[in-house]
Amino acid sequence: MGGWAIAVHGGAGVDPNLPAERQEQTKQLLTRVLNLGIDALRSSVSAIDVVELVVRELESDPLFNSGRGSALTENGTVEMEASIMDGAGRRCGAVSGLTTVKNPVSLARLVMDKSPHSYLAFSGAEKFAKEMGVETVENEYFITQDNVEMLKLAKEAGSIVFDYRIPKAGYETCGTGVQSPIHMNGLPISIYAPETVGCVVVDSQGRCAAATSTGGLLNKRMGRIGDSPLIGAGTYACDICGVSCTGEGEAIIRGTLAREVGAVMEYKGLGLQEAVDFVIKERLDEGKAGLIAVSNTGEVAYGFNCVGMFRGCATQNGFMEVGIWD
């Protein structure tokens, strides 16, 4: 075995005019959760426990689109979804349509560990949460003023958009110096874009795990389900790798993106980074997305075909990186 490795993400597709202050905030959060995972791995915590621990922390911070800070539906409410997968035996759990569960990833873990099912949604998932005694809060807990303002803008534009939020100030301080707006999903935008969160881990025993959590698209239809809770699309782990995806959910679903990384490693004999690069290039068609991945030999990799991805990664040999741009 090559030792442990960990990667985290906070979404792919970043406004090139992202103010420097926001960039620093995201890097600080990614560094904090990365160190949380590193400390756990150094204490011999299992891969599946580490991915849950890290994603819970991301869900509890409103900076990214998961848990508190989730994107709002067309009705101005929050519907969250998450999944988790243990590569050992390909055990998995997923949830959708959550409106009161404080940490969706932990309910997904309970679906995996405490139910005969792999996926629960909406009222059934909420009922299961009550039976399991997980912490619940009012829907208002998840709603931030940034997202209220962004929903208003999306409705004025008449569009369903990715999880974009309005920066409070500071385009002139943008680290990239790009002045023109970017285009995604057919909508020209010049606003800040945090997204889905995820974590992948291989522990010192070579066990891989992955978890992903999101509030989904801003101004989405009630009941819309994206890639994040879909095993093989937004999340996948097996005996050779763990993968978490982010970006255009519908494109990720069509390409079964997370599973494809493991498939080309297994059937084409590609290494981890080669597999990630192949999948990003060949399986997204015209979609925009990114992903993070680890292998059972302690490798870590990431890839994206859009403007930036909030990410961080570290390995047992001392390598550590936190970044946004290429």
Side-chain angles (χ1 to χ4, degrees), residues 243-278:
V243 184
S244 175
C245 300
T246 173
E248 293 188 35
E250 280 66 20
I252 293 169
I253 292 168
R254 293 193 303 270
T256 57
L257 211 63
R259 167 57 186 151
E260 280 291 287
V261 174
V264 297
M265 290 180 71
E266 184 175 356
Y267 301 129
K268 292 177 69 71
L270 300 185
L272 183 67
Q273 188 65 61
E274 289 179 299
V276 169
D277 293 343
F278 177 86

Side-chain angles (χ1 to χ4, degrees), residues 15 59 61 78 99 111 182 194 197 218 223 254 291 319-320 325:
D15 181 358
E59 288 173 340
D61 192 295
V78 164
T99 59
V111 171
I182 59 174
V197 305
L218 183 69
R254 293 193 303 270
L291 63 85
F319 170 77
M320 183 173 177
W325 316 108

Side-chain angles (χ1 to χ4, degrees), residues 300-311:
V300 64
Y302 60 83
F304 53 93
N305 67 351
C306 46
V307 182
M309 180 172 73
F310 299 109
R311 65 194 184 272

Side-chain angles (χ1 to χ4, degrees), residues 4 22 64 66 77 98 241 272 280 286 298 310 322:
W4 56 257
R22 288 285 198 174
F64 292 132
S66 66
T77 59
L98 300 182
C241 68
L272 183 67
I280 291 293
E286 296 182 358
F310 299 109
V322 173

Side-chain angles (χ1 to χ4, degrees), residues 62-75:
L63 190 58
F64 292 132
N65 173 14
S66 66
R68 186 163 183 259
S70 286
L72 304 184
T73 69
E74 60 186 354
N75 289 353

